Amino acid sequence: RGLPELVAELDRLTEQSTPRRNIGRPRLPIDRVFSVSGFGTVITGTLSDGTFSVGDDVAIVPGDLAARVRGLQTHKTKVDQVLPGYRVAMNLGRVATEDLARGQVVTRPGTIRPTLLVDARLEVLRDVPRPLEHNMAVELYVGAARVEASLRLLDADALGPGESGLVQLRLAAPLVAARGDRYIVRLASPSMTLGGGEILNAHPRRRHRRRHPEVIASLEALETGDPQEILAHLLGPRQALPVSEVVAMSDLPRDEALAALRELLDGDRVVLLSAQTQGLDAPGVMDAGVASRAAWQALVQRTSSALRAYHSRYPLRTGMPREELKSRLNMETALFAGLLSRAEAEGLVRLTPTTVALCDHEATLTPAQQEAADRLLEAFRRAPYTPPSLAQAEEQVGATVLEYLFESGAL
């Protein structure tokens, strides 16, 4: 009795509910894997975000497996495309059933990476028998995945029944998660649910120091959901990242993330690692680097220190080889190129096709070195067809001055 009324009420609530967000990064946590005769591998799950269509190339993470969508069903009806929030059965080609497991996630290639650390707000249930302690072992449930984890309390020594705190979970195995995902923590033995909450950052760059005011302030800023604060937190004070990666890590719609980034640029809170004056409207800007103002200043300081030390050691060289500086700064090629472009545009460095130098560096010979160089060059002018050999030239002026003559183009 009452089943038609129940279905009608569910329909009414569904029509009134807010549609699931779609930021274009589809995630389908796998909760079942099986094989269907004549079709092959089939998985099921609830689509968290984005869309999938028949024929799409997909990736399964963790695991870095590649597959193709051969067919889609939702509520036993064949469809060509599925939307966020729907239950989905997905027929996958190019992948075996035994290679898949509950807890993995189907996504688009190159859009999502697993994590071993997550920052979160934890709400402890009121009926837990004892307080939760720092570094206690728990089981973390996100989507369809379950992993063992160590619970690190960031703003408290213990969390009692009904209390709330900021935590960092250190995972025993890779997990796919995103900012805003809900989660549960449980105790394995005796089996009980301890609490849960919302993930604030699915890719923290390091283990946080406990009770550190900067860490607490950053995580509380993430809780507000303000797009500018989210991006500012992700960039942090020490790192440059590609614009595309910052947008992806924010778990914000692309247009909303770019609008927030534009506000940060206009407010001089972040710096675009590019000489382009169009800012975020420049072609290819998604591949450009972006850094907080503090990170940019730290990069400039590290670059200047490395170049000054090099000029002091090799005063007659026009500059430091680009690859050597890139290695010293430990930067990816694209970010390094953006750093050089921005630094040159601001008049901080002077570039040649192969070297980098501080603008105030001038390779100048001493009077004695200049006299030796002049004699060598005169020898080349007097006997252009039988000039001094390399060994003779080095003996006359020394290896350092000879290298200077090569770099300057005199020889």
Side-chain angles (χ1 to χ4, degrees):
R1 286 180 299 175
L3 197 57
E5 290 82 1
L6 173 62
V7 172
E9 180 65 7
L10 291 173
D11 283 342
R12 186 185 70 82
L13 292 172
T14 301
E15 290 172 358
Q16 293 179 353
S17 66
T18 303
R20 284 290 188 94
R21 67 175 186 169
N22 183 352
I23 62 174
R25 298 175 66 211
R27 289 186 297 143
L28 181 63
I30 298 173
D31 52 41
R32 287 192 303 155
V33 183
F34 51 91
S35 182
V36 176
S37 179
F39 291 91
T41 301
V42 176
I43 61 98
T44 66
T46 302
L47 187 58
S48 300
D49 172 37
T51 63
F52 283 117
S53 301
V54 174
D56 282 350
D57 289 321
V58 296
I60 294 93
V61 290
D64 293 326
L65 299 172
R68 171 165 286 187
V69 180
R70 296 172 60 182
L72 293 168
Q73 284 191 7
T74 180
H75 301 293
K76 299 183 180 180
T77 301
K78 287 186 177 181
V79 293
D80 293 326
Q81 187 181 66
V82 288
L83 301 174
Y86 279 81
R87 287 292 298 172
V88 178
M90 181 180 287
N91 179 204
L92 292 174
R94 304 178 184 171
V95 65
T97 305
E98 57 267 23
D99 292 333
L100 304 180
R102 177 183 174 91
Q104 290 179 302
V105 174
V106 182
T107 183
R108 294 196 196 280
T111 59
I112 292 175
R113 54 189 174 90
T115 183
L116 288 169
L117 282 173
V118 294
D119 298 335
R121 166 69 69 178
L122 174 62
E123 307 281 347
V124 183
L125 293 179
R126 295 182 183 277
D127 58 355
V128 296
R130 58 187 175 86
L132 276 57
E133 300 174 349
H134 178 65
N135 273 341
M136 72 180 294
V138 297
E139 290 183 328
L140 172 67
Y141 291 74
V142 178
R146 178 188 67 179
V147 298
E148 295 178 358
S150 175
L151 181 67
R152 305 186 67 245
L153 306 182
L154 299 179
D155 59 355
D157 294 323
L159 289 178
E163 292 184 342
S164 169
L166 294 169
V167 301
Q168 185 173 62
L169 290 142
R170 189 159 48 115
L171 313 181
L175 171 80
V176 172
R179 189 186 62 81
D181 282 357
R182 305 295 297 185
Y183 73 95
I184 291 172
V185 288
R186 285 177 52 84
L187 200 60
S189 180
S191 180
M192 70 173 72
T193 299
L194 301 173
E198 182 176 332
I199 292 175
L200 303 178
N201 185 2
H203 294 92
R205 293 186 287 275
R206 62 183 66 84
R207 287 179 59 183
H208 297 314
R209 290 168 53 192
R210 300 183 65 203
R211 297 188 178 278
H212 193 278
E214 184 180 307
V215 170
I216 303 303
S218 293
L219 294 180
E220 288 176 345
L222 281 180
E223 278 193 284
T224 67
D226 181 84
Q228 289 190 43
E229 296 308 319
I230 290 169
L231 294 177
H233 169 82
L234 292 173
L235 286 169
R238 302 176 184 86
Q239 188 174 11
L241 294 169
V243 171
S244 58
E245 187 171 336
V246 176
V247 170
M249 289 170 60
S250 73
D251 292 306
L252 294 167
R254 184 178 183 275
D255 291 345
E256 186 176 340
L258 288 176
L261 192 57
R262 189 172 283 106
E263 292 290 330
L264 291 172
L265 284 167
D266 291 343
D268 201 33
R269 294 180 62 187
V270 301
V271 173
L272 194 64
L273 270 61
S274 169
Q276 296 289 342
T277 57
Q278 304 101 309
L280 293 178
D281 297 320
V285 73
M286 296 301 287
D287 297 323
V290 65
S292 68
R293 172 58 63 178
W296 167 250
Q297 290 172 344
L299 269 175
V300 168
Q301 179 61 42
R302 289 171 58 203
T303 301
S304 298
S305 296
L307 291 175
R308 203 163 296 284
Y310 189 88
H311 295 331
S312 176
R313 185 176 180 183
Y314 304 107
L316 295 183
R317 294 185 181 178
T318 56
M320 187 177 190
R322 290 193 182 204
E323 283 302 313
E324 184 174 342
L325 179 59
K326 175 173 166 287
S327 178
R328 293 273 188 93
L329 298 177
N330 192 27
M331 294 185 71
E332 297 178 5
T333 301
L335 294 180
F336 179 67
L339 164 68
L340 294 186
S341 296
R342 177 86 189 203
E344 184 184 39
E346 292 192 5
L348 302 173
V349 299
R350 184 174 63 248
L351 304 179
T352 74
T354 58
T355 65
V356 188
L358 293 173
C359 284
D360 60 2
H361 171 68
E362 291 293 340
T364 307
L365 298 174
T366 65
Q369 289 172 331
Q370 186 66 60
E371 185 179 345
D374 290 342
R375 286 198 303 269
L376 178 62
L377 294 176
E378 179 58 29
F380 273 84
R381 282 192 289 270
R382 285 198 311 267
Y385 306 112
T386 56
S389 67
L390 183 63
Q392 291 170 333
E394 185 172 337
E395 182 180 1
Q396 183 171 338
V397 298
T400 302
V401 174
L402 186 60
E403 185 176 0
Y404 165 82
L405 294 174
F406 288 149
E407 281 199 3
S408 66
L411 284 181

